Amino acid sequence: MLAAASIRLMEELNLAVTELTEVGIYRYRAADPRGNQVEHEWDHVLIGVTSDDLPRPDPPEVSECLWADPAELLEDISAAPDSYTPWLRGVLDIATRAADFTHADSKKALDREFG
């Protein structure tokens, strides 16, 4: 799965990602307010490390792309939840907690090593 995710990130966003890790699964069910369909999915949440390059989306794959600070994005989702896909908040919560934990764990290791 991680190899497939790396390939898709390159194909869709022209973005190379290293240290890709699954950090959780977000399960959601959301009705489409414009129709009679329902999404009921399990999203595998992955985090990784990118270079300093910004994504360059492939237009047939991605219609819009925004590189955002996670805390600011969470604020925006809270202020206007209908402007975002129903799974984004849950996925972002899982990814942010994992990244914070990973960052804190790395900082502790560096402090032990060089502290």
Side-chain angles (χ1 to χ4, degrees), residues 24-28 41-45 86-87 89-91 94:
I25 296 175
Y26 180 67
R27 181 178 160 197
Y28 76 98
E41 298 184 7
W42 292 58
D43 293 337
H44 294 263
V45 182
W87 52 260
R89 171 137 203 150
V91 167
I94 291 170

Side-chain angles (χ1 to χ4, degrees), residues 56 66 81 87 93 99 110:
R56 289 173 289 125
L66 172 69
W87 52 260
D93 284 342
L110 286 171

Side-chain angles (χ1 to χ4, degrees), residues 19-93:
E19 301 178 40
L20 200 56
T21 306
E22 182 175 4
V23 294
I25 296 175
Y26 180 67
R27 181 178 160 197
Y28 76 98
R29 186 176 192 282
D32 182 352
R34 295 169 289 187
N36 60 357
Q37 296 189 10
V38 174
E39 288 184 345
H40 189 200
E41 298 184 7
W42 292 58
D43 293 337
H44 294 263
V45 182
L46 310 173
I47 62 171
V49 176
T50 66
S51 65
D52 288 336
D53 296 333
L54 292 175
R56 289 173 289 125
D58 179 26
E61 294 285 344
V62 179
S63 63
E64 291 184 57
C65 181
L66 172 69
W67 200 254
D69 177 86
E72 291 175 15
L73 182 54
L74 283 170
E75 286 180 21
D76 288 346
I77 294 169
S78 294
D82 292 338
S83 297
Y84 296 91
T85 186
W87 52 260
L88 184 56
R89 171 137 203 150
V91 167
L92 188 57
D93 284 342

Side-chain angles (χ1 to χ4, degrees), residues 12-14 16 31 63 67 71 83 108:
E12 293 182 13
L13 297 172
N14 292 303
S63 63
W67 200 254
S83 297
K108 286 178 192 173

